[in-house]
């Protein structure tokens, strides 16, 4: 999304509702983004309890700071993912640094978790046809011909979808965001 592009209508309405203190809005936001928040936190922390705690903290922060979201900087989903990533990385550093004698190892683990979290986010955000093609090829081990047959598209279209999906995924590793965050 470019800085000049308007955020989705749902994002603007949700921010307004949160700013007015509508508890139902927080519930809707939680229903929509809790799986994303939890999976990102779990990917970084590799700990179920820590991921659950981070999920609570992220939604607590959103409830207390709805005006921190700037629609000009991206979607609400991206903002929530960024908060999650920063909180999880902060927690990982807190948990690891005092006991850890190798800060390079911790940073490498954070970079690896960040790239994996970005990849998860990219897959979740990509159009359904690309996601379906990647799922068939990589999780179900189908080649492009089999993928085309299952999806009911031409082999050229299946190859195109796989190529585009892989190009999107390559950005998770090739082009890390500022500060390694989403």
């Amino acid at each position: 999304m470019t800085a000049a592009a308007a955020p989705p209508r749902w994002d603007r309405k949700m921010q307004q509702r949160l700013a007015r203190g509508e508890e139902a809005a927080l519930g809707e936001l939680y229903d929509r983004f809790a799986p994303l928040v939890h999976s990102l936190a779990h990917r970084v922390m590799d700990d179920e309890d820590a991921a659950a705690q981070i999920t609570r903290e992220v939604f607590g922060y959103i409830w207390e700071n709805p005006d921190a979201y700037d629609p000009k900087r991206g979607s609400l989903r991206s903002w929530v993912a960024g908060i999650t990533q920063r909180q999880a990385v902060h927690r990982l550093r807190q948990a690891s640094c005092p006991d850890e004698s190798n800060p390079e190892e911790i940073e490498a683990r954070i970079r690896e978790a960040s790239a994996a979290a970005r990849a998860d986010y990219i897959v979740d955000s990509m159009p359904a046809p690309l996601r379906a093609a990647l799922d068939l090829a990589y999780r179900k081990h189908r080649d492009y011909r089999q993928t085309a047959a299952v999806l009911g598209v031409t082999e050229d279209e299946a190859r195109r979808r796989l190529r585009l999906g892989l190009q999107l995924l390559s950005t998770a590793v090739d082009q890390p965001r500022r500060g390694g965050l989403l």
Side-chain angles (χ1 to χ4, degrees), residues 46-67:
D46 195 27
D47 179 297
E48 187 65 32
D49 293 335
Q53 179 63 33
I54 290 168
T55 300
R56 287 189 295 275
E57 291 170 1
V58 166
F59 285 98
Y61 174 83
I62 291 168
W63 178 248
E64 294 172 2
N65 302 282
D67 292 329

Side-chain angles (χ1 to χ4, degrees), residues 3 11 26 35-36 50 58 65 68 72 75-76 89-90 97 103 106 112 133 139 141 144 160 172 175:
D11 290 5
L26 183 63
L36 169 71
V58 166
N65 302 282
K72 294 176 185 164
S75 70
L76 190 57
V89 167
H90 175 72
C97 284
I106 295 166
E112 181 180 303
R139 290 190 184 152
H141 307 289
Y144 74 93
R160 185 187 73 78
Q175 300 172 5

